[in-house]
Every structure is written in structure tokens, then in C-alpha cells.
């Protein structure tokens, strides 16, 4: 082990690595003081580094000057201690070093600390804003340190796996031409080319395709990407992507590489066996069953279509919805009746309305027979058919939405997650699956146009090309997402390499030849010189680490994250710049109207 040196002394061990087999050894440890306990003639110091905590002991046998120095030490002081490892008189089973301590014979204070704004504990009560302002202190907490070290291991295994499978790691530029990719670009003004701007890449998409045309048939990169969009728990303006591209492949080849990667990663980092091949659902199946294109399949509660049962029933809300082209769908929450009282169901109704539903019908089965507000409009046969369709039994609660198909599915998909969390029925497992056959276009009700769901180089399924000009709703893509526990980890596709089909695709997306050449000409020109069939994917490293670490927020696996308004509380970025810098860039600021 490479040893740190300081003033002629060298660290021999990390605090958390000492065990009973080190008893009687003379050791030197360095770290931060977690706490100091003064028991009169006895002082204990818990010393912490990134590997854990070890107890330093000072007693009657300790030299007085060393004892006095130990007495003066406070939390978060940085110290170096030399001594002999011995058994503890009182074992602490809460920590791995709990059966040993160091009898200190030399002590040096390397750095004093003011009282920190919050205590450095895993279960600190400090709010997140304060912790992010002092992120360098927050990062001393063992939980965050373990997350960051796990992330390091993830990146190491990633590089090892792809290297062993013939991938070449190649860096692509971070100052690029601005191209439309679905989100706003971060723009960087050019001092030399005044009035022109670079963009920070939303992904290395165009460059990795050019690398395929350059003959590097297997590329990967742990790439930094940037998107100027609103934030949430699983999104940051700057993020890291495990990016890969492969030539002379079909979709199955890309999926096989992806499956091998997650299997290797989870085994080496967490000791978890992931069964492969991973299950698959088409986009249509996922939406119909779970109301989401990134479903959490760790629990059942699938959406059921009741439209055929209620299309002629006496309940106008149901019958009229089906008559007008809508649908009636339901989920069954098993054993939920004791939790979901009428008051609790009212809360679900408000949630459903917030997503877009007009209301929420329900069946609550508490007594011998189920009860619901609409049963008087239904025949016994219709009620029994609904009960049978959703598989309801005594103790269950059935939630029903009648509306347009997309609203029904999105509302029930959201309620499905809300109910599962409330009932605490989501197991602590890792459920991967592939989502395939995504629609190529989605209908924009506001504009009346069909908008692209993917970047313009995504290839449509061969059998769908004939519908590009006439029936956009029938066009599906050679696209695939990797989903884990309801989180989209990866998106990928097989790319278009036929210039004629690419031109047709630009046209279908509303781009003229001139616009397409202006935005993507450097790539489409390259297709004229021999393009191999290729495809790839990008895996979100931050999201992957978040789930592996069992965290609820990306901020817990990123060393210096941004908050919801895209600022960094610790450094104060973004910040104003002086007039000289703006003048160099030929930029003037416009004051916003109050």
C-alpha cells in the first residue's frame, strides 16, 4: 500500500481496517475526530477516515503532554496518532473495529476546526440546504463517502467490462455545435468568433456515430452531458452517461451487451445475481398493463380494461365515455380496504384530478359484499364481471378511471405507485426489464402535429417505413429502454444509415433539406462515404448509482450536485461576471422587466 508521509511520519493503516489480528502492532493513523469523551483520568477519541472509525485511548499510562493535548481536542480536528493496538475493555458491536483500540503514545494536531454548522453524523438533523452549502463537510458523513466510493467501483467495473468486450474508450468534445435534441442547450459564447456560440453536449450522439463511420466499431465513454431543463430528484443539469455504440449489429446484439454489463456490475459491486436474459415488454404492453413506459414491476397491480363490460351499463359516466371513444380502466389494490378509508380515497381522487382525471370511481370491499357509489346503476352481472376482471376479493379496493385512454393510463399508473408505497408492498429487489418498440411519433393535441419521440437518427422498424408519410401512428422505432425499479436507466436505438431514408425522416419531422443540412450536415455528409449499420445506448450512471445505493435522490451519489434551480449552493454558481469579460465576448445584458 502506498503510504502518506507528513513531517517524516507515515500512516501505516486506515482507521476502519484495524482488527484483532493487529493487536500488539504499533500503528499510525490519521483522520478527523468524530468525538472526544473525557471521563476524568480517561479520554477516548473516535477517529474517523473514509474507511471507518477507530477508538484512541488515553489513560494513566499516557505521557502527560499527550494526555493534555488529547484533552484540548474537539470534534473535526485533524490528528495523527501513533500507538499500539490492544483489546477494548468494553466491546462496541456497532462498528467493525469495536473490539480493539489504540493505546496512544504520540499525538499530533494537524488541523484545528471551528464548531461545524452541523454534526457530522449519518442521521444528521440538518436540512439539505445547509448541508449543500457546506458540502465539503456533508461529504465527511460515512453514508455519502460510501456512496461516492461505490460510484468509483461502478466506473471501474464499467471500464473493465467494456474493455474486455472489445470497446475502445474515446473522449468526444464538450464544446460542440448546437443541435436540436429535445432539451435546451447550455450555450458557451465564443470570444474569437463573436456572436457565435458553442453548446455543451446533451449527449455524444453525433460524435459516437461518426466514430462508427471512422472504423472504431466498438466505442464507449463515461461522458459528461448537459441539459438546461427543470430538475427533479432523478435529474441534474450536468450528468454522467455510460455511452456506447457498436457497428455491424442488430438490436439483439446491443441488448446482449447491456445485459452482460448489468449482470457483471451488480455481482461485483453488490454481490447480487441478476438473472438474464432480462424480461421484455413492448411500449404498448407496458402502457396498457402499468400506465408507464418505465414500469416498476416489483409488484403486480396491473391495469385492467373494463370498457367492454360497462359500454352499455346504466352508469352514464362509464357508458358515455366508451361511446365517445374513451375507455374505462381499473387497478385492484389487494388488502387495501383497512388502509384506504373513504377519507383516504378522497385524497387519491384529488391526486387523480391533479394528473388530469375528471374523477375517481371505486369499489371498497369491507363487509361480506363490496360497496361502491355507482352500484345502483349496475346490474349484478356487470358488477360481478368487474370483480372477476380485476380479481377483487374481500379486503380489496378497486380504483376506476373513465376518460381518454392516455389519461386513464397515466392516472392509474401514478395511483398504482402511490398505493403500493402507502401499503408498503414494494420488495427490496432489483427488477430490470427492456421496453421495446416505441412509437416513432406522438400526437400533439395543442398543435395538431405528430412530434418525434426520438432523435432524428433513430431507425423505424422495417415494416413501418411505408407509413412514414401516411400513417404516423403506425410507425414504431428500433428503440429500446432499460428500466430498473420504475426508473429509466438507458435509452438506445439502431441508427439510420441509409441517406435516402434519413432524408425522408427529416421530412417527416418537418425539417427542410436546408434546415437538416444546417443542423446535421457534418454527419449526413459522412454517410455518403460508407456507413456501417450501427446502434448503441447511453446508461445514466448517476441514476444507476442512486438505485444501487438505495438513495432517493441523485444528489446523494454526486459529490457536488446542483439544486432545483440549477445552482450550486456551496460555490454560489452561477454568478455574475464583470463588464470586461462581457466586453471580450461582445455580450450585453438586458434587464428583465419587473
Amino acid at each position: 500500500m502506498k503510504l502518506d508521509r507528513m513531517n517524516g511520519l507515515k500512516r501505516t493503516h486506515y482507521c476502519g481496517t484495524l482488527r484483532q489480528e493487529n493487536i500488539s502492532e504499533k500503528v499510525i493513523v490519521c483522520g478527523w475526530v468524530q468525538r472526544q469523551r473525557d471521563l476524568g483520568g480517561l479520554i477516548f477519541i473516535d477517529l474517523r477516515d473514509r474507511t471507518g472509525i477507530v477508538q484512541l485511548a488515553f489513560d494513566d499510562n499516557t505521557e502527560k503532554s499527550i494526555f493534555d493535548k488529547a484533552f484540548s481536542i474537539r470534534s473535526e480536528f485533524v490528528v495523527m496518532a501513533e500507538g499500539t493496538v490492544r483489546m477494548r475493555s468494553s466491546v462496541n458491536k456497532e462498528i467493525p473495529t469495536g473490539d480493539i483500540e489504540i493505546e496512544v503514545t504520540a499525538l499530533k494536531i494537524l488541523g484545528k476546526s471551528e464548531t461545524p454548522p452541523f454534526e457530522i453524523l449519518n442521521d444528521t438533523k440538518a436540512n439539505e440546504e445547509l448541508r449543500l452549502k457546506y458540502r465539503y463537510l456533508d461529504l465527511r458523513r460515512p453514508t455519502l463517502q460510501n456512496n461516492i466510493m461505490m460510484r468509483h467501483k461502478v466506473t471501474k467495473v464499467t471500464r473493465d467490462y467494456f474493455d474486455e468486450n472489445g470497446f475502445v474508450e474515446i473522449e468526444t468534445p464538450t464544446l460542440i455545435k448546437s443541435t436540436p435534441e429535445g432539451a435546451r442547450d447550455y450555450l458557451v459564447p465564443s470570444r474569437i468568433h463573436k456572436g457565435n456560440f458553442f453548446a455543451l453536449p446533451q449527449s455524444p450522439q453525433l460524435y459516437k456515430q461518426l466514430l462508427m463511420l471512422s472504423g472504431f466499431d466498438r466505442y464507449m465513454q463515461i461522458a459528461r452531458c448537459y441539459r438546461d431543463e427543470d430538475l427533479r430528484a432523478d435529474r441534474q443539469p450536468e450528468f454522467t452517461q455510460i455511452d456506447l455504440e457498436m457497428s455491424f449489429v442488430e438490436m439483439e446484439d446491443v441488448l446482449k451487451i447491456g445485459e452482460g454489463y448489468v449482470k457483471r456490475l451488480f455481482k461485483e459491486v453488490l454481490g447480487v445475481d441478476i438473472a438474464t436474459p432480462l424480461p421484455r415488454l413492448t411500449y404498448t404492453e407496458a402502457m396498457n398493463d402499468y400506465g408507464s413506459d418505465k414500469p416498476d414491476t416489483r409488484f403486480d397491480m396491473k391495469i385492467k380494461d373494463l370498457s367492454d363490460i360497462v359500454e352499455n351499463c346504466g352508469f352514464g359516466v362509464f357508458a358515455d365515455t366508451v361511446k365517445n371513444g374513451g375507455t374505462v380502466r381499473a387497478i385492484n389494490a389487494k388488502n387495501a380496504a383497512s388502509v384506504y378509508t373513504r377519507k383516504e380515497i378522497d385524497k387519491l381522487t384529488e391526486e387523480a384530478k391533479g394528473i388530469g382525471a375528471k374523477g375517481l370511481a371505486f369499489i371498497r370491499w369491507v363487509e361480506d359484499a363490496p360497496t361502491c357509489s355507482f352500484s345502483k346503476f349496475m346490474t349484478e352481472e356487470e358488477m360481478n364481471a368487474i370483480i372477476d376482471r380485476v380479481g377483487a376479493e374481500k379486503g380489496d379496493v378497486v380504483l376506476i378511471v373513465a376518460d381518454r385512454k392516455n389519461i386513464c393510463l397515466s392516472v392509474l399508473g401514478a395511483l398504482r405507485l402511490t398505493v403500493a408505497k402507502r401499503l408498503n408492498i414494494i420488495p427490496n429487489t432489483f427488477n430490470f426489464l427492456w421496453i421495446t418498440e416505441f412509437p416513432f411519433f406522438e400526437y400533439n393535441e395543442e398543435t395538431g402535429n405528430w412530434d418525434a419521440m426520438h432523435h432524428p437518427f433513430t431507425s423505424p422498424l422495417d415494416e413501418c417505413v411505408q407509413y412514414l408519410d401516411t400513417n404516423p401512428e403506425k410507425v414504431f422505432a428500433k428503440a429500446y429502454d432499460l428500466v430498473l425499479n420504475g426508473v429509466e436507466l438507458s435509452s438506445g436505438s439502431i441508427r439510420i444509415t441509409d441517406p435516402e431514408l434519413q432524408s425522408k425522416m427529416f421530412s417527416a419531422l418537418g425539417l427542410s433539406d436546408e434546415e437538416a443540412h444546417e443542423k446535421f450536415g457534418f454527419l449526413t455528409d459522412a454517410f455518403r462515404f460508407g456507413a456501417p449499420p450501427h446502434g448503441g445506448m447511453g446508461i445514466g450512471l448517476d441514476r444507476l448509482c442512486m438505485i444501487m445505493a438505495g438513495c432517493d435522490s441523485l444528489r446523494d451519489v454526486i459529490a457536488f450536485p446542483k439544486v432545483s434551480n440549477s445552482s450550486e449552493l456551496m460555490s454560489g454558481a452561477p454568478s455574475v461576471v464583470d463588464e470586461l469579460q462581457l466586453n471580450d465576448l461582445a455580450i450585453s445584458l438586458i434587464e428583465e422587466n419587473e
Side-chain angles (χ1 to χ4, degrees):
M1 180 175 64
K2 184 178 178 181
L3 302 177
D4 296 329
R5 299 183 180 276
M6 186 177 295
N7 297 332
L9 296 177
K10 59 184 181 181
R11 176 168 59 183
T12 63
H13 294 76
Y14 282 90
C15 295
T17 63
L18 295 171
R19 297 292 186 271
Q20 284 195 37
E21 51 265 32
N22 300 111
I23 287 176
S24 299
E25 290 183 23
K26 180 171 285 191
V27 299
I28 299 174
V29 292
C30 304
W32 285 259
V33 173
Q34 180 71 30
R35 63 172 178 162
Q36 183 249 48
R37 288 166 289 154
D38 179 11
L39 305 180
L42 191 61
I43 295 175
F44 293 115
I45 290 176
D46 291 338
L47 192 65
R48 181 192 72 240
D49 64 20
R50 64 182 174 88
T51 64
I53 288 177
V54 68
Q55 179 170 280
L56 308 181
F58 307 82
D59 53 28
D60 293 340
N61 297 320
T62 305
E63 184 179 314
K64 185 178 187 305
S65 62
I66 297 174
F67 193 93
D68 290 343
K69 190 179 294 184
F71 178 79
S72 71
I73 284 174
R74 297 294 177 264
S75 294
E76 301 310 313
F77 275 34
V78 184
V79 304
M80 174 181 284
E82 182 180 26
T84 303
V85 180
R86 69 185 185 189
M87 284 292 295
R88 285 178 61 157
S89 57
S90 177
V91 173
N92 180 358
K93 295 182 179 180
E94 299 299 317
I95 56 176
T97 61
D99 49 6
I100 58 97
E101 64 185 13
I102 299 174
E103 182 182 11
V104 178
T105 55
L107 181 67
K108 185 172 186 178
I109 297 175
L110 303 175
K112 294 184 179 181
S113 172
E114 297 178 7
T115 301
F118 55 88
E119 198 171 359
I120 313 300
L121 298 172
N122 276 337
D123 58 349
T124 178
K125 299 297 189 293
N127 64 55
E128 186 178 44
E129 184 174 332
L130 179 65
R131 289 188 288 108
L132 288 174
K133 182 178 180 180
Y134 297 93
R135 184 62 165 181
Y136 45 87
L137 296 179
D138 197 31
L139 283 170
R140 293 181 188 176
R141 294 193 297 128
T143 297
L144 285 184
Q145 291 198 338
N146 290 338
N147 290 349
I148 299 301
M149 288 189 288
M150 186 203 73
R151 181 179 175 128
H152 159 73
K153 189 170 184 179
V154 167
T155 59
K156 181 183 183 304
V157 173
T158 298
R159 286 191 165 98
D160 289 346
Y161 172 80
F162 285 107
D163 176 66
E164 292 165 15
N165 282 277
F167 286 77
V168 180
E169 184 168 4
I170 305 174
E171 292 183 346
T172 54
T174 53
L175 292 175
I176 67 170
K177 178 183 177 67
S178 179
T179 58
E181 288 201 44
R184 287 183 295 273
D185 285 331
Y186 277 102
L187 299 177
V188 181
S190 170
R191 178 183 59 83
I192 297 172
H193 303 280
K194 288 182 170 58
N196 291 291
F197 295 81
F198 295 104
L200 299 180
Q202 295 185 34
S203 77
Q205 183 63 46
L206 303 185
Y207 286 95
K208 71 179 181 180
Q209 289 192 248
L210 286 168
L211 287 170
M212 296 301 100
L213 275 67
S214 303
F216 296 96
D217 66 308
R218 289 195 168 196
Y219 140 93
M220 72 81 57
Q221 180 183 190
I222 297 180
R224 296 291 284 166
C225 306
Y226 308 85
R227 294 182 183 178
D228 186 6
E229 55 189 353
D230 296 331
L231 304 191
R232 57 184 186 226
D234 63 346
R235 182 181 289 169
Q236 284 276 302
E238 51 183 329
F239 58 96
T240 306
Q241 184 167 292
I242 302 166
D243 203 50
L244 60 122
E245 196 79 8
M246 306 166 65
S247 291
F248 309 108
V249 294
E250 297 177 340
M251 185 180 81
E252 294 299 328
D253 301 298
V254 182
L255 300 193
K256 185 176 180 181
I257 281 290
E259 291 184 352
Y261 169 64
V262 297
K263 186 175 184 68
R264 167 82 168 270
L265 181 70
F266 274 68
K267 183 63 177 177
E268 289 200 19
V269 177
L270 299 181
V272 173
D273 289 308
I274 302 297
T276 55
L278 302 179
R280 300 184 190 182
L281 289 174
T282 66
Y283 171 88
T284 301
E285 290 171 336
M287 292 301 297
N288 285 338
D289 285 349
Y290 300 101
S292 172
D293 60 359
K294 47 181 183 294
D296 190 337
T297 58
R298 288 176 295 174
F299 61 100
D300 192 16
M301 210 186 302
K302 291 182 180 179
I303 298 171
K304 302 296 183 181
D305 191 348
L306 309 180
S307 303
D308 59 312
I309 298 174
V310 301
E311 60 182 341
N312 296 312
C313 74
F315 188 42
V317 173
F318 291 170
D320 291 345
T321 297
V322 177
K323 181 181 179 180
N324 293 323
T327 184
V328 180
R329 308 212 177 195
I331 55 174
N332 179 29
K334 304 295 294 181
N335 303 310
S338 60
V339 173
Y340 278 100
T341 61
R342 179 58 188 268
K343 184 178 180 180
E344 291 294 320
I345 293 175
D346 287 342
K347 293 179 183 178
L348 288 179
T349 302
E350 291 306 308
E351 179 178 343
K353 289 180 178 179
I355 303 171
K358 298 180 182 68
L360 181 67
F362 67 91
I363 300 171
R364 184 167 177 263
W365 197 338
V366 178
E367 305 298 335
D368 292 336
T371 59
C372 68
S373 57
F374 59 87
S375 60
K376 62 183 178 181
F377 302 106
M378 309 287 287
T379 66
E380 183 177 349
E381 291 75 14
E382 289 167 341
M383 286 299 298
N384 288 336
I386 292 174
I387 295 296
D388 291 341
R389 178 71 57 85
V390 300
E393 301 172 310
K394 185 176 180 180
D396 297 349
V397 172
V398 180
L399 305 174
I400 306 172
V401 176
D403 215 308
R404 296 194 307 273
K405 181 179 177 180
N406 63 326
I407 291 179
C408 275
L409 295 179
S410 63
V411 169
L412 289 173
L415 294 184
R416 177 179 176 271
L417 293 174
T418 297
V419 171
K421 292 174 183 176
R422 179 77 168 81
L423 298 178
N424 196 27
I425 61 171
I426 305 177
N428 186 23
T429 57
F430 297 106
N431 275 34
F432 284 93
L433 77 154
W434 293 107
I435 305 297
T436 63
E437 297 184 27
F438 281 81
F440 209 95
F441 304 98
E442 67 179 340
Y443 185 69
N444 188 323
E445 294 182 0
E446 293 184 4
T447 65
N449 297 324
W450 288 89
D451 298 335
M453 289 186 66
H454 314 276
H455 64 69
F457 304 102
T458 300
S459 179
L461 294 174
D462 297 340
E463 62 270 24
C464 296
V465 174
Q466 60 182 312
Y467 300 120
L468 277 174
D469 298 325
T470 57
N471 300 95
E473 74 278 5
K474 292 184 178 181
V475 183
F476 291 85
K478 292 181 182 178
Y480 35 85
D481 280 3
L482 181 61
V483 175
L484 172 58
N485 295 356
V487 175
E488 176 195 319
L489 282 187
S490 168
S491 285
S493 69
I494 300 300
R495 323 304 186 187
I496 298 173
T497 54
D498 177 4
E500 184 178 337
L501 177 58
Q502 186 64 72
S503 178
K504 196 171 186 178
M505 189 57 60
F506 284 143
S507 177
L509 297 176
L511 291 175
S512 67
D513 292 342
E514 293 76 16
E515 289 173 320
H517 192 270
E518 169 65 23
K519 297 178 184 300
F520 304 109
F522 64 97
L523 178 60
T524 55
D525 284 349
F527 287 161
R528 296 158 44 209
F529 298 99
H534 58 276
M537 61 195 298
I539 303 170
L541 177 64
D542 309 298
R543 291 184 181 182
L544 180 61
C545 291
M546 178 182 74
I547 297 175
M548 294 179 74
C551 302
D552 295 323
S553 170
L554 289 180
R555 292 191 285 271
D556 291 333
V557 295
I558 297 173
F560 300 102
K562 304 292 189 293
V563 293
S564 59
N565 64 0
S566 297
S567 66
E568 185 196 301
L569 299 181
M570 183 188 70
S571 69
S575 60
V576 298
V577 296
D578 60 40
E579 285 291 330
L580 181 60
Q581 290 174 285
L582 293 176
N583 291 337
D584 281 344
L585 297 168
I587 290 177
S588 62
L589 301 180
I590 299 174
E591 291 188 12
E592 290 185 331
N593 293 326
E594 294 294 335

